[in-house]
Amino acid sequence: MSREPLILASASPRRRQLLEMLGIPVRVVPSHIPEVRRPVETPVDYVERLAREKALSVPGRLVLGADTTVVVRDEVLEKPLDAADALRMLRKLQGRTHQVVTSVALVADETVHQATDVTNVVFRRLDDAFLEAYIATGSRWTRRGRTASRDTEPRWWSGSTATSSA
């Protein structure tokens, strides 16, 4: 007997990969909601709304939506416009603690279940040559203010702590 696949309301290859690693059958149906922060939204409110809207925008019995953003000094880092903008963001993260805010929303039989996690990440100081070489690889720097920690050496990070809410 095969299980009904979870519908992932995201085109993220990493989210799909994580679900598949857990043995969860997945069908990808990207949502196409605008990812624009409202003027009065906190970063947590922003990612929670996006995760929920993504999950609710795709039809299905089990639909998962998620969103992640990076916050440094009260600034939400959106997707970089280009390599120069990516370098600006990486410089801003250096030597500072920033927050990675992630929310997931599961719509199951018309009920929304949601959980949010805020992780404090300490980003080491790195020289511009290292940052520029990283950007030149094209390795995931196109995501909102994020580096692909799973693809890089530990020299990026010096520590992290997490808090969660359900």
Side-chain angles (χ1 to χ4, degrees):
M1 181 173 150
S2 66
R3 294 188 301 182
E4 178 181 349
L6 174 71
I7 297 171
L8 178 60
S10 170
S12 166
R14 181 63 176 158
R15 287 193 175 108
R16 179 183 187 148
Q17 179 187 31
L18 288 170
L19 292 167
E20 289 172 342
M21 287 170 50
L22 293 170
I24 299 171
V26 178
R27 184 166 60 98
V28 174
V29 181
S31 68
H32 297 288
I33 66 155
E35 296 190 15
V36 179
R37 187 171 169 215
R38 295 175 180 157
V40 295
E41 277 184 313
T42 67
V44 170
D45 291 341
Y46 176 49
V47 297
E48 286 180 342
R49 176 179 60 82
L50 289 178
R52 194 171 44 254
E53 287 181 1
K54 288 174 183 180
L56 289 167
S57 71
V58 174
R61 196 176 75 74
L62 290 172
V63 182
L64 182 69
D67 197 69
T68 299
T69 198
V70 170
V71 182
V72 62
R73 293 188 171 182
D74 296 323
E75 179 186 352
V76 173
L77 299 183
E78 297 291 350
K79 185 183 255 191
L81 301 171
D82 53 26
D85 196 34
L87 181 59
R88 176 193 66 82
M89 288 181 187
L90 291 173
R91 284 177 175 154
K92 185 171 282 223
L93 295 172
Q94 287 193 89
R96 295 189 176 100
T97 298
H98 64 277
Q99 291 71 45
V100 178
V101 183
T102 299
S103 187
V104 294
L106 175 69
V107 176
D109 297 322
E110 300 181 16
T111 300
V112 177
H113 306 273
Q114 191 156 13
T116 302
D117 180 76
V118 179
T119 303
N120 292 309
V121 178
V122 181
F123 194 97
R124 294 182 190 268
R125 288 208 167 273
L126 300 163
D127 61 43
D128 276 0
F130 180 86
L131 297 176
E132 289 166 358
Y134 172 72
I135 291 167
T137 68
S139 178
R140 303 283 200 199
W141 63 264
T142 58
R143 298 173 304 158
R144 272 197 222 140
R146 297 189 297 272
T147 57
S149 59
R150 68 190 176 281
D151 296 337
T152 58
E153 297 178 36
R155 67 176 120 174
W156 284 99
W157 323 109
S158 60
S160 66
T161 60
T163 60
S164 297
S165 69

